[in-house]
Amino acid sequence: MLTALPFARPARRSWTSVLVLLLLSLRALAQTSGNPILAGYQADPEMDYFNGTYYIYPTTDGNSSGGQFHAFSSTDLTNWTDRGVVFDLGRQTTWATYNGWAPSVVARNGKYYYYYTAHNNATNTPSIGVAVGNTPLGPFTDNGQPLLTPALSNNITQDVIDPMVFVDDDGQAYIYYGGSSGARMVVRKLNADMVSLTSDEPRDITPQNYTEAPYLVKRNGRYYLTYSNGRWFDDSYNVQYATSTSPTGPWTYGGSVVSSDANRFGPGHHSITQFPGCDDYYIVYHRYQDRTYKTRQVAIDHLTFNADGSIQKVNMTPYGVAPRPAGSACPVSPMLVSGGLYKLTHKDTDQCLDVDNGSTAPGANVQQFTDNGTNAQRWTVTLQADGHYKLLNKNSGHALDVAGASAAPGTNVQQWTDNGNDAQRWQLQAMSGGFYKLLHKGTDQALDVASNSVSPGANVQQYTDNGNDAQRWQLTITDQPIVSGGVYRLTHKGTTQCLDVDNNSSAPGTLVHQYTDNGNDAQRWVITRMADGYYKLTHRNTNQCLEVASNSTSPGATVQQYTDNGNDAQRWQIVSLGDGYCKLVHKGATLCLDVDNNLSDPGTGVHQWTDNGNDAQRWRLDLMPQNAGNTTLKAKNAAELLAATPLTVYPTPATSQVHFVVTPTQTGTLTLDVLDTQGRLVRHLATDRGVQGQATEYLLDGSTWAAGVYTVRLNMAGQVSHTKLVLVH
């Protein structure tokens, strides 16, 4: 485990700091499965979920004769138990005694069907058999003869290997197999008894770049065929995929799913498991770390679908996945961006979550209506401190609200002034097919279209969570505005690793790396839009900025934090890519904020690199909740304090809630006022005692104010600062 935790540039750390980071790493990993997840050398894993328990059926590399099959079980994905030999070729078959590998297990008819590859003694070729048991662990009774041979495959493939069985929604079962020598994939239909073949002819449905080990999943009406490519015995081995609208093709090539990186090699022969009812998928695969296939081990990582339905490439991790016991609520998809602007579409219709007539009035009704692209159908979805979400209508600035904060089924849903109470808080769960369920906080009431109507103008209400399509919504990101002055978490694409300052240091020159999301300020950045349109990223609670060392324009130059000095080394262009991810480009260069070798390991260094469009340069920017009140900025000297902006107003333009951040340059009494265009006082916001270098945030609900331009005036010990506030409705 320790060798799987590389540290960025250890020569610059004291032994004490290395020990601290090591302990933190172990603490983070203790909450996950870790990788590898199974004891010993195992390969070709298939993971299945039966009756609240996960089972992995691998090839046992430690058994040189290949005659015995083990199984492993877990109730939470993190603690695995070897259940011993569940099938033994020498004792439980008559037609095969060795070279057993790559099992696949399916539950049907109250039975468990165990498909496997083995050497056919009669024909001296690989063949596929099937055995039947009453439990996931057997005992399994073999069918007595091979189910599939080269002859039963019309000799499309001589390597009758790597079976995978898929049962479609209509009940038809298919078996996919074949590869390696000749690299052809065959499909045949199974009868309902699951141990015999239909009269349909075998078909060659080989996709692009196929070698072996097919695996099929269905999501949202689309079939995803994943398979191994390359040579199984070296680091060319990898997983790719193709899609179709039919379980038998034709296939449209999709690209890479997982491949070797700088630390781990030969990932392949995998399976994909969906947690029932959720848009939550896991990929289990084998890999090795010493460049020899003889030490293959089983690993698990999350598999994520992009908004367009494509598969996001998997970064192999040393930490694996979090516990996932049976009955767990569906999590929020990692694709959801806090602070993103979304369209919510009712399942199977073109009807959007809409404020009636585009009203800006508190209490205006919320309905579904034909997608017309207006701001009345756009909602800013933002994570709150309690883990729930707030949805603010872009047109009005009002929050999605349950009337009277009621928990009663059928209560109307409306928009209302953002007041922070539970009537405006929603739990978001990613359900099957890429849809969401929105649950009203503290209740079992879901956001629901009355009578599951598809009609424009149908009312939106809350109703008891019953799992039907009336309570399913597709969330499509339409924009990713950056809130100047907002606090953000930056997460490397395809991992849980965040942009992090080593040991949460406030020292200038501290290196920046990635680290497991732990929620502390080392992973929080204040993003501020500057006058030239570029952004400054300031490490939370310090005045240290994200900076390229020496303002270098060289690929590979170190990224660090450094005292805010206003130069281009600390300026970044943030480019939204339209899929929920952004790239950060160093000002004056085409170099991107990049994770070294696209690794997912905690502690991997972050540098700048040539824009090459890969995932190492992709970041999800999540707007994080902040407590109202004081935030101390650790200014170093008077010159830095005087360089700080004493008054910041955001967002501007604003539609409703406005934030005023005051950072006094000296200690003393301050007053904060809002004036109209004629200089008349329209609101006295505060009289307070300001402390030098201590930022205080004041809030204003501007939703009932007239649209227009206002002047904000700050008076601190006789020194007056002004800025503009623009309100639009």
Side-chain angles (χ1 to χ4, degrees):
M1 292 289 287
L2 302 187
T3 57
L5 299 174
F7 302 118
R9 301 172 179 84
R12 296 193 59 179
R13 291 204 183 109
S14 68
W15 282 110
T16 301
S17 66
V18 170
L19 180 59
V20 169
L21 182 54
L22 175 60
L23 293 173
L24 289 172
S25 299
L26 292 175
R27 186 179 308 148
L29 293 179
Q31 298 169 4
T32 61
S33 64
N35 272 328
I37 55 173
L38 303 184
Y41 297 135
Q42 316 288 338
D44 310 333
E46 177 174 285
M47 184 169 79
D48 295 295
Y49 183 79
F50 299 134
N51 306 318
T53 299
Y54 304 91
Y55 296 88
I56 291 180
Y57 303 94
T59 298
T60 302
D61 273 1
N63 177 16
S64 60
S65 68
Q68 294 180 334
F69 292 94
H70 282 241
F72 296 77
S73 68
S74 174
T75 57
D76 63 2
L77 289 180
T78 61
N79 299 286
W80 291 89
T81 300
D82 186 347
R83 306 304 296 268
V85 176
V86 295
F87 192 63
D88 188 334
L89 293 181
R91 296 173 52 204
Q92 293 174 275
T93 60
T94 57
W95 61 272
T97 55
Y98 70 99
N99 272 2
W101 72 80
S104 177
V105 181
V106 176
R108 199 176 189 192
N109 308 323
K111 304 284 187 180
Y112 296 86
Y113 298 88
Y114 192 99
Y115 303 86
Y116 60 94
T117 303
H119 184 83
N120 188 334
N121 295 331
T123 61
N124 199 33
T125 60
S127 296
I128 290 171
V130 58
V132 185
N134 292 321
T135 78
L137 299 174
F140 293 102
T141 301
D142 190 66
N143 206 34
Q145 61 184 357
L147 174 68
L148 288 163
T149 64
L152 291 172
S153 307
N154 282 356
N155 291 311
I156 295 170
T157 178
Q158 293 302 302
D159 273 354
V160 178
I161 61 173
D162 299 349
M164 186 272 160
V165 174
F166 169 78
V167 181
D168 208 350
D169 298 336
D170 62 3
Q172 179 60 59
Y174 301 84
I175 185 166
Y176 304 83
Y177 63 97
S180 285
S181 180
R184 308 309 298 173
M185 188 184 82
V186 185
V187 64
R188 292 214 62 175
K189 290 182 180 180
L190 291 167
N191 288 313
D193 64 9
M194 302 298 285
V195 297
S196 63
L197 303 167
T198 71
S199 60
D200 297 80
E201 288 293 310
R203 295 176 58 186
D204 182 343
I205 58 168
T206 308
Q208 179 179 332
N209 295 346
Y210 177 81
T211 299
E212 60 190 13
Y215 201 89
L216 191 79
V217 296
K218 186 178 183 181
R219 178 182 182 268
N220 206 17
R222 185 186 300 185
Y223 297 86
Y224 293 80
L225 180 67
T226 52
Y227 46 88
S228 293
N229 166 262
R231 296 177 296 272
W232 65 270
F233 50 83
D234 65 29
D235 58 10
S236 70
Y237 208 47
N238 67 97
V239 177
Q240 301 186 23
Y241 81 102
T243 63
S244 179
T245 56
S246 162
T248 57
W251 305 106
T252 299
Y253 180 65
S256 176
V257 175
V258 61
S259 57
S260 296
D261 62 27
N263 290 341
R264 292 160 286 265
F265 311 102
H269 204 124
H270 66 293
S271 64
I272 296 170
T273 304
Q274 179 188 8
F275 191 86
C278 299
D279 198 40
D280 192 26
Y281 293 81
Y282 299 90
I283 182 169
V284 175
Y285 57 97
H286 71 239
R287 68 191 195 195
Y288 45 90
Q289 296 191 197
D290 58 1
R291 293 186 181 274
T292 169
Y293 67 87
K294 295 180 180 179
T295 58
R296 295 181 296 181
Q297 295 177 298
V298 172
I300 183 171
D301 281 300
H302 260 111
L303 182 133
T304 302
F305 290 88
N306 295 312
D308 63 0
S310 60
I311 295 177
Q312 185 177 114
K313 188 168 182 180
V314 175
N315 279 19
M316 292 185 285
T317 73
Y319 46 82
V321 298
R324 193 77 162 85
S328 301
C330 296
V332 175
S333 169
M335 294 301 297
L336 186 74
V337 179
S338 174
L341 190 68
Y342 283 87
K343 173 178 70 175
L344 281 75
T345 309
H346 186 211
K347 186 176 180 181
D348 297 330
T349 77
D350 63 349
Q351 306 299 306
C352 295
L353 190 68
D354 175 282
V355 175
D356 189 17
N357 289 317
S359 174
T360 59
N365 192 47
V366 171
Q367 59 184 9
Q368 69 172 5
F369 203 76
T370 306
D371 183 5
N372 54 29
T374 65
N375 288 340
Q377 300 175 349
R378 299 297 182 262
W379 302 82
T380 301
V381 180
T382 311
L383 179 66
Q384 303 300 291
D386 61 3
H388 288 73
Y389 285 81
K390 173 175 68 176
L391 285 77
L392 291 181
N393 187 257
K394 182 179 181 182
N395 188 55
S396 68
H398 294 315
L400 188 69
D401 178 282
V402 175
S406 173
T411 303
N412 194 46
V413 172
Q414 60 186 7
Q415 68 174 5
W416 194 260
T417 306
D418 181 9
N419 55 28
N421 71 25
D422 288 354
Q424 301 172 353
R425 296 294 181 265
W426 301 86
Q427 182 188 31
L428 271 63
Q429 295 185 23
M431 312 304 290
S432 289
F435 294 93
Y436 276 88
K437 173 173 67 178
L438 285 77
L439 288 177
H440 183 206
K441 183 179 178 182
T443 77
D444 64 351
Q445 303 300 304
L447 189 69
D448 177 283
V449 173
S451 302
N452 198 17
S453 174
V454 297
S455 300
N459 193 46
V460 171
Q461 59 184 9
Q462 69 174 5
Y463 202 77
T464 307
D465 181 10
N466 54 27
N468 71 24
D469 287 352
Q471 301 171 352
R472 296 294 180 265
W473 301 86
Q474 182 181 41
L475 270 67
T476 306
I477 194 165
T478 60
D479 194 12
Q480 192 172 349
I482 301 298
V483 176
S484 182
V487 177
Y488 283 83
R489 176 185 64 200
L490 282 73
T491 306
H492 184 212
K493 185 175 183 181
T495 76
T496 60
Q497 302 304 300
C498 298
L499 188 67
D500 179 283
V501 173
D502 188 13
N503 289 321
N504 199 13
S505 172
S506 59
T510 303
L511 296 179
V512 174
H513 59 193
Q514 65 175 4
Y515 200 74
T516 307
D517 183 7
N518 54 28
N520 73 25
D521 285 347
Q523 301 170 353
R524 299 296 181 261
W525 300 85
V526 179
I527 299 182
T528 310
R529 183 178 173 88
M530 310 308 290
D532 60 2
Y534 286 83
Y535 289 89
K536 174 177 70 176
L537 283 77
T538 308
H539 185 213
R540 177 78 164 140
N541 285 348
T542 78
N543 66 340
Q544 305 299 308
C545 294
L546 189 70
E547 183 194 77
V548 175
S550 303
N551 199 17
S552 172
T553 58
S554 300
T558 299
V559 174
Q560 59 187 13
Q561 67 172 4
Y562 204 76
T563 307
D564 185 2
N565 54 28
N567 71 26
D568 288 353
Q570 301 173 351
R571 297 297 181 261
W572 301 85
Q573 182 187 20
I574 299 177
V575 182
S576 175
L577 301 172
D579 60 355
Y581 289 93
C582 297
K583 65 179 178 180
L584 283 78
V585 183
H586 184 210
K587 184 176 179 182
T590 58
L591 303 176
C592 294
L593 190 69
D594 179 284
V595 173
D596 189 21
N597 286 314
N598 196 21
L599 291 172
S600 57
D601 301 68
T604 302
V606 172
H607 56 199
Q608 67 174 3
W609 195 258
T610 307
D611 185 2
N612 54 28
N614 73 22
D615 289 352
Q617 301 170 353
R618 298 296 179 259
W619 302 85
R620 191 180 73 244
L621 275 61
D622 286 303
L623 183 62
M624 304 305 292
Q626 298 300 313
N627 294 325
N630 295 344
T631 301
T632 300
L633 300 180
K634 299 175 182 176
K636 295 299 180 183
N637 54 52
E640 291 169 7
L641 284 173
L642 290 172
T645 302
L647 176 61
T648 301
V649 177
Y650 73 92
T652 183
T655 58
S656 56
Q657 192 172 73
V658 185
H659 302 253
F660 304 85
V661 180
V662 176
T663 310
T665 57
Q666 56 187 302
T667 298
T669 301
L670 64 84
T671 60
L672 188 62
D673 300 303
V674 180
L675 313 172
D676 66 14
T677 55
Q678 297 180 355
R680 295 174 300 193
L681 180 67
V682 293
R683 175 65 64 87
H684 174 65
L685 290 173
T687 299
D688 207 347
R689 177 173 172 77
V691 178
Q692 186 184 56
Q694 180 172 287
T696 302
E697 184 175 39
Y698 302 91
L699 301 177
L700 168 71
D701 181 9
S703 60
T704 59
W705 286 35
V709 179
Y710 296 85
T711 298
V712 184
R713 181 179 65 195
L714 172 65
N715 190 320
M716 294 188 302
Q719 295 183 359
V720 179
S721 301
H722 296 90
T723 191
K724 297 295 184 185
L725 164 63
V726 180
L727 285 174
V728 294
H729 299 304

